[in-house]
């Protein structure tokens, strides 16, 4: 397998990173969580101009992974997996506007159905949008949806692409949590020393770095069709969850506070770990394929 990105892929990654780094995505995510979708929709339009919404139909899964890793690293809110990964593959064309979908039993509720232009159950248009459900991640508004007709069987190819996109998001979230933790432990001092100088802190952060480093090849391996998407999801979920637990520990009590931006990634990781299939489901899928 060749994991090195091409020049065009590196340029695409750099342009996305530049766009997101200059977009104050933390403020966008906080506004989205408070019910103000305006800034998020403006960012959605700018990312659509960069081609993110057409990657599933016009590019390879490698470009999709690059994009979703960046979305995770910057905590971009919205039904990106649903609109830019699952639905284009399930419907056979790019979604016009913003789409969202429920795919029971692995995705029982539709994410952000209140802002979506199109709502589906599987590949069937939803007949009605019901009550909102509370998510551990305040930027994820989950809605009950129903179809007036029997939904078609889940599109496995589309489902696997959504699992791959979620894995890449988790990888990006984990990278951001590790980066912010490293910065913090170099600033926070206790007993006259930076807490990052203590061996136990170094070892915990090294464990996160190793877990993320082992998860990355599985994501790109799945994008190249060499390993199952479930393997990437298991590895990325474990690595990102370890990153979130470690970040919480090294930040101490301040890590629990909603006011600290760290909470955006910690809660997102918790939600994404179970989105598009639980860890138990994906572990069973990997085991069945051996």
């Amino acid at each position: 397998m060749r994991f090195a990105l091409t020049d065009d892929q590196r340029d695409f990654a750099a342009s996305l990173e530049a766009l997101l780094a200059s977009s104050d995505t933390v403020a966008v995510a906080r506004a989205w969580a408070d019910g103000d979708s305006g800034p998020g929709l403006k960012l959605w339009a700018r990312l659509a101009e960069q081609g993110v919404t057409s990657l599933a139909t016009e590019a390879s899964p490698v470009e999709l992974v690059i994009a979703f890793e960046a979305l995770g690293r910057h905590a971009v809110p919205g039904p990106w997996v649903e609109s830019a990964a699952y639905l284009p593959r399930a419907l056979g064309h790019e979604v016009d506007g913003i789409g969202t979908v429920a795919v029971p039993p692995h995705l029982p509720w539709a994410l952000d159905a209140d802002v979506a232009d199109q709502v589906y159950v599987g590949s069937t248009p939803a007949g009605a949008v019901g009550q909102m459900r509370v998510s551990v991640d305040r930027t994820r508004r989950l809605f009950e949806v129903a179809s007036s007709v029997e939904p078609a069987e889940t599109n496995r190819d589309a489902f696997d692409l959504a699992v791959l996109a979620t894995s890449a998001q988790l990888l990006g979230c984990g990278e951001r949590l590790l980066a912010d933790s490293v910065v913090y432990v170099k600033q926070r001092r206790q007993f006259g020393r930076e807490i990052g100088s203590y061996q136990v802190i170094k070892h915990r952060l090294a464990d996160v770095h190793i877990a993320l480093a082992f998860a990355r090849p599985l994501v790109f391996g799945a994008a190249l069709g060499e390993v199952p998407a479930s393997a990437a999801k298991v590895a990325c979920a474990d690595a990102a969850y370890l990153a979130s637990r470690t970040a919480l520990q090294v930040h101490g009590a301040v890590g629990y506070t909603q006011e600290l931006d760290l909470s955006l990634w910690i809660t997102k990781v918790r939600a994404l770990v179970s989105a598009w299939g639980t860890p138990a489901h994906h572990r069973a899928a990997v085991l069945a394929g051996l």
Side-chain angles (χ1 to χ4, degrees):
M1 285 184 286
R2 175 179 171 78
F3 289 117
L5 300 180
T6 64
D7 289 342
D8 285 345
Q9 289 167 341
R10 282 195 292 271
D11 289 343
F12 176 59
S15 67
L16 268 185
E17 186 64 27
L19 188 159
L20 294 172
S22 63
S23 298
D24 195 0
T25 53
V26 167
V28 171
R30 289 192 179 281
W32 193 276
D34 292 336
D36 177 9
S37 57
L41 295 179
K42 289 180 181 176
L43 179 57
W44 186 290
R46 295 182 66 193
L47 289 167
E49 290 175 359
Q50 291 274 327
V52 175
T53 55
S54 60
L55 291 174
T57 54
E58 299 180 7
S60 78
V62 174
E63 281 82 16
L64 189 92
V65 162
I66 291 170
F68 276 85
E69 185 180 353
L71 295 178
R73 191 159 50 242
H74 291 275
V76 176
W80 282 99
V81 173
E82 292 76 6
S83 190
Y86 182 86
L87 284 174
R89 279 292 175 88
L91 302 176
H93 58 79
E94 183 181 345
V95 175
D96 185 15
I98 299 174
T100 191
V101 63
V103 186
H106 302 298
L107 197 74
W109 300 296
L111 176 63
D112 298 318
D114 56 335
V115 299
D117 302 299
Q118 302 177 48
V119 183
Y120 287 82
V121 180
S123 55
T124 305
V129 176
Q131 290 186 331
M132 187 177 79
R133 298 279 188 139
V134 176
S135 170
V136 66
D137 177 5
R138 293 182 63 246
T139 66
R140 292 173 63 86
R141 297 193 297 273
L142 307 174
F143 287 85
E144 298 175 355
V145 291
S147 173
S148 56
V149 298
E150 186 67 23
E153 190 173 341
T154 300
N155 184 309
R156 292 303 313 178
D157 181 53
F159 185 81
D160 284 347
L161 192 66
V163 171
L164 179 62
T166 305
S167 302
Q169 262 191 310
L170 280 163
L171 183 64
C173 288
E175 291 168 343
R176 179 58 180 261
L177 285 163
L178 176 60
D180 285 358
S181 297
V182 170
V183 169
Y184 182 76
V185 300
K186 289 180 178 179
Q187 296 173 342
R188 177 82 165 90
R189 297 179 66 85
Q190 198 164 34
F191 306 118
R193 298 168 55 185
E194 296 172 352
I195 63 171
S197 66
Y198 292 101
Q199 284 293 324
V200 65
I201 300 293
K202 291 179 180 178
H203 288 167
R204 286 190 180 279
L205 294 174
D207 287 343
V208 174
H209 175 73
I210 291 169
L212 292 169
F214 274 93
R216 172 177 286 277
L218 288 174
V219 175
F220 282 93
L224 294 171
E226 298 291 341
V227 297
S230 287
K233 178 74 188 300
V234 169
C236 290
D238 286 351
Y241 192 59
L242 178 63
S244 68
R245 289 176 56 196
T246 303
L248 197 57
Q249 286 178 319
V250 302
H251 279 77
V254 70
Y256 288 97
T257 58
Q258 185 175 304
E259 289 76 11
L260 191 69
D261 293 341
L262 190 75
S263 65
L264 293 173
W265 284 274
I266 288 177
T267 54
K268 186 171 291 297
V269 166
R270 185 64 193 89
L272 291 179
V273 162
S274 298
W276 292 98
T278 63
H281 166 77
H282 288 296
R283 281 191 167 84
V286 172
L287 184 61
L290 295 178

